[in-house]
Amino acid sequence: MRIPIIDRAKMNPEQARVYDGALSSGGVVGGPYYAYIRLPALFEAVQNLRTFLFSGPLSGRERQIANLVVARHWNSQYPWCAQARGAMKVGLEQSVIDAINARKTPEFANARERTCFLVPRELLASQHLSDESYAAAEKALGLNDLIALIATTGSFSMTCMAANTFEVDPPADAPTPLAN
């Protein structure tokens, strides 16, 4: 990691407050969050957004599909490993994880899950969603869920960029390492 991890005992009072709050509520305190803690207001804002999106309208499977697409796009090792582990916990098939890892399109019987793959992929590749893709996504998800998917894509892109910038290493026991 490019920056030193601040030990809990050496955090200033504001850092300690938001760190302890995240820890007690089941939030994330490792990975890119080691960088965010240096700006406690940012750490807290990112935790709040993560909490909202986690409890938002997308299912766990839908959210994990989107996050895997984002991590794959950014070639971000730590987030990929964390999301692959999370994907397995919500019952996402290994074949779907492997296809995304290989930059292939998985088979989805569910239109919502297919949309949670296609929308982030197109947005990240072209920085835009075509009229056809937008109409299909709004039909499959509804407007509010589409907004949540876009927010998930952007939020997790920030996580991946932070992990890449600060060279956050994946855990040694990563279940599905990111392919080259």
Side-chain angles (χ1 to χ4, degrees):
M1 189 147 157
R2 283 184 165 163
I3 59 175
I5 296 171
I6 301 173
D7 183 77
R8 168 60 183 83
K10 294 182 179 180
M11 290 180 185
N12 69 38
E14 187 63 6
Q15 289 169 328
R17 181 188 69 76
V18 298
Y19 180 89
D20 291 346
L23 203 56
S24 70
S25 68
V28 177
V29 295
Y33 288 83
Y34 288 131
Y36 299 158
I37 194 63
R38 294 170 177 281
L39 302 168
L42 174 63
F43 183 99
E44 194 166 42
V46 173
Q47 286 286 345
N48 290 339
L49 179 58
R50 179 189 172 279
T51 298
F52 171 78
L53 292 172
F54 193 80
S55 64
L58 300 178
S59 73
R61 287 174 60 93
E62 293 164 352
R63 193 174 47 257
Q64 291 305 133
I65 290 165
N67 286 345
L68 287 170
V69 171
V70 172
R72 176 71 269 186
H73 171 82
W74 289 107
N75 296 316
S76 196
Q77 292 284 342
Y78 182 96
W80 171 266
C81 292
Q83 295 310 306
R85 182 174 281 131
M88 288 185 269
K89 284 182 184 173
V90 297
L92 203 60
E93 297 78 9
Q94 187 67 46
S95 61
V96 171
I97 297 167
D98 292 343
I100 295 171
N101 199 359
R103 299 183 189 276
K104 297 186 188 260
T105 301
E107 292 293 323
F108 293 106
N110 179 300
R112 286 180 60 92
E113 290 181 3
R114 184 173 41 259
T115 300
C116 289
F117 171 81
L118 293 172
V119 166
R121 186 180 69 171
E122 183 175 333
L123 274 175
L124 293 166
S126 69
Q127 297 85 46
H128 186 263
L129 201 56
S130 70
D131 289 343
E132 180 181 306
S133 296
Y134 178 88
E138 187 175 19
K139 181 179 180 186
L141 298 177
L143 182 57
N144 288 346
D145 292 8
L146 177 56
I147 292 168
L149 177 59
I150 302 308
T152 297
T153 302
S155 173
F156 203 64
S157 286
M158 183 177 79
T159 297
C160 292
M161 288 187 291
N164 286 354
T165 299
F166 300 112
E167 297 180 349
V168 180
D169 293 324
D173 64 343
T176 304
L178 188 62
N180 292 329

